[in-house]
Amino acid sequence: MSIARILLINAGGYSQRFPSASVGGKIFLLYPIDGQAYHMLDLQLMAFIEFPERMIPGIYVSSSDVILPCDLTGEWSFTEPGFTGIAIVAEAQMGTTHGVYVLEDPEGISRKYK
């Protein structure tokens, strides 16, 4: 683990909105983009292509049913020790049906990569 950079994407099993994805997982659902079909796995790998060269060894965990829009231009990296989360700011109502981060100390959130 001292030199490895690991991408762990959960397959996203049980799905009420996409029962057909319950067996193979949401990671293998097809999404039409500009006339072509892409698996979510393809989209995730394209989204994270620059991450390994900008992160310290460790594990990057992602969910297979969401891609958060990230501006990958400019100076950024995942080089701070500890936990780094990528999220979007949204209304609290959205959190009732999506994963959320809950921190004991919300003032401790670093917003330097906005």
Side-chain angles (χ1 to χ4, degrees), residues 29-41:
L29 285 177
L30 289 173
Y31 294 87
I33 299 175
D34 294 331
Q36 282 197 275
Y38 295 93
H39 286 109
M40 179 58 88
L41 177 60

Side-chain angles (χ1 to χ4, degrees), residues 16-77:
Q16 293 179 2
R17 290 179 281 205
F18 296 106
S20 61
S22 292
V23 175
K26 297 175 194 168
I27 196 79
F28 296 111
L29 285 177
L30 289 173
Y31 294 87
I33 299 175
D34 294 331
Q36 282 197 275
Y38 295 93
H39 286 109
M40 179 58 88
L41 177 60
D42 299 324
L43 299 174
Q44 292 272 2
L45 294 175
M46 285 187 279
F48 304 140
I49 193 74
E50 293 187 39
F51 282 22
E53 67 187 31
R54 298 188 186 205
M55 64 187 283
I56 58 175
I59 300 173
Y60 179 81
V61 181
S62 178
S63 177
S64 65
D65 60 355
V66 66
I67 291 182
L68 298 176
C70 298
D71 180 3
L72 299 179
T73 60
E75 293 296 318
W76 62 272
S77 67

Side-chain angles (χ1 to χ4, degrees), residues 90-107:
E91 297 294 323
Q93 181 63 29
M94 182 179 276
T96 63
T97 58
H98 292 78
V100 297
Y101 295 111
V102 179
L103 304 175
E104 288 183 27
D105 177 16
E107 299 303 316

